[in-house]
Amino acid sequence: MTAAPLVQLHNIGKSFANGVVALEGLNLTIQSGDFLSLLGPSGCGKSTALRLIADLSSPSLGRIEWPQGEQARQKIGFVFQDSTLMPWTSVFNNVFLPLRLAGVRKSEADYRIHEALDLVGLRAFESAFPGELSGGMKMRASIARALIQRPQLLLMDEPFAALDEITRVKLNNDLLYLKAELGMTIVFVTHSVYESVYLSNRIAVFASRPGRIVRMIEIDAPYPRDLNFRHSALYAQCCKTASEALQGAMSLEDQL
């Protein structure tokens, strides 16, 4: 059965005051339960599309529709490329921040904070300050903060780009565990072919100038995924397909 649409982008265009056309003619349907990666070169509008979905920016043209109602639109978590933690306070208080801004008292939020920290394996570090954490642990704390409001849709803008490969692979596995545990829909921006194939059930390949989707790739591999999938012929073939699509998208830019 086809999952119900969660959010639909119809003929989206986004231009900035300096004349840059970030997106043009973008059409995209995100299904409930998707793990959708947005793959493309720098400057192709992937992050702009994410910010439009999050209502952090408004489209210049087109419309964004939420078929499941306004309530779904309110259940969004966002993880940025930088962990954006407050360095002067603890992990516990950083995770608490969205609830505090929503007017929830700390005593009422205690259970949910500990639940989020347990999910990302940071319960033992709740009193630590960001400066005492590794890069991977900072990103886990950022993910816990995004999960604290139990989002239906989690938007992630290159969250693992600055991490070493070993940490990145570990967090890829942890992210798939969280998705299975919480049943979230995830839209994930990345430059990595290998990461996009491992994580996703669909990959939207972007070209730039202007930013638009030039290929949608289905990754027909079951979850859960593990090292066996990374070593499989199917994974290698999907990576080849995605890499060729990305090279094709970049060649379109070179022709301009």
Side-chain angles (χ1 to χ4, degrees), residues 74-89:
Q74 303 303 320
K75 293 184 176 181
I76 294 177
F78 204 119
V79 178
F80 297 90
Q81 182 172 347
D82 183 78
S83 61
T84 63
L85 300 175
M86 300 179 294
W88 58 85
T89 192

Side-chain angles (χ1 to χ4, degrees), residues 193-212:
V193 165
Y194 307 105
E195 185 171 59
S196 65
V197 169
Y198 184 67
L199 293 172
S200 313
N201 63 292
R202 294 195 299 148
I203 301 170
V205 180
F206 275 64
S208 58
R209 293 195 234 174
R212 74 270 190 209

Side-chain angles (χ1 to χ4, degrees), residues 1-253:
M1 293 179 62
T2 302
L6 178 62
V7 55
Q8 295 174 311
L9 283 67
H10 299 283
N11 200 32
I12 294 294
K14 178 64 179 180
S15 302
F16 295 104
N18 62 3
V20 171
V21 180
L23 295 169
E24 184 175 272
L26 178 64
N27 291 287
L28 177 64
T29 295
I30 300 163
Q31 310 284 358
S32 292
D34 258 347
F35 196 124
L36 173 66
S37 284
L38 310 185
L39 175 69
S42 296
C44 68
K46 305 183 303 295
S47 296
T48 299
L50 217 62
R51 294 178 68 85
L52 292 174
I53 295 169
D55 204 24
L56 297 176
S57 181
S58 299
S60 305
L61 295 169
R63 61 189 176 90
I64 299 176
E65 182 181 1
W66 295 83
Q68 298 183 32
E70 187 66 22
Q71 186 178 12
R73 186 177 185 176
Q74 303 303 320
K75 293 184 176 181
I76 294 177
F78 204 119
V79 178
F80 297 90
Q81 182 172 347
D82 183 78
S83 61
T84 63
L85 300 175
M86 300 179 294
W88 58 85
T89 192
S90 67
V91 167
F92 184 98
N93 286 329
N94 268 285
V95 174
F96 173 51
L97 179 63
L99 295 181
R100 181 169 69 83
L101 294 176
V104 179
R105 291 182 297 183
K106 188 179 290 187
S107 59
E108 298 171 344
D110 189 78
Y111 171 78
R112 288 172 62 179
I113 296 168
H114 285 146
E115 180 183 53
L117 290 172
D118 282 336
L119 282 168
V120 300
L122 282 183
R123 179 69 175 272
F125 296 89
E126 65 176 66
S127 298
F129 283 70
E132 301 171 319
L133 304 179
S134 68
M137 293 168 74
K138 288 177 184 177
M139 189 50 63
R140 289 174 192 272
S142 182
I143 292 171
R145 185 175 58 192
L147 297 179
I148 194 68
Q149 293 183 298
R150 298 167 182 164
Q152 184 175 354
L153 174 62
L154 183 63
L155 306 174
M156 308 186 78
D157 191 3
E158 295 190 75
F160 309 144
L163 302 177
D164 65 85
E165 189 66 16
I166 293 172
T167 303
R168 189 168 183 157
V169 168
K170 178 67 168 67
L171 288 175
N172 283 174
N173 290 332
D174 292 343
L175 183 56
L176 290 181
Y177 163 78
L178 288 171
K179 184 183 185 308
E181 189 75 9
L182 302 175
M184 297 177 297
T185 301
I186 298 178
V187 181
F188 187 93
V189 168
T190 182
H191 288 106
S192 170
V193 165
Y194 307 105
E195 185 171 59
S196 65
V197 169
Y198 184 67
L199 293 172
S200 313
N201 63 292
R202 294 195 299 148
I203 301 170
V205 180
F206 275 64
S208 58
R209 293 195 234 174
R212 74 270 190 209
I213 295 172
V214 294
R215 179 86 178 269
M216 186 68 75
I217 300 170
E218 304 279 343
I219 307 299
D220 190 18
Y223 294 97
R225 296 178 184 171
D226 55 19
L227 194 60
N228 290 328
F229 176 54
R230 286 190 186 274
H231 292 166
S232 69
L234 176 59
Y235 178 73
Q237 180 57 51
C238 290
C239 287
K240 181 176 184 292
T241 299
S243 181
E244 290 173 348
L246 181 58
Q247 289 301 314
M250 295 172 70
S251 70
L252 291 175
E253 180 179 336

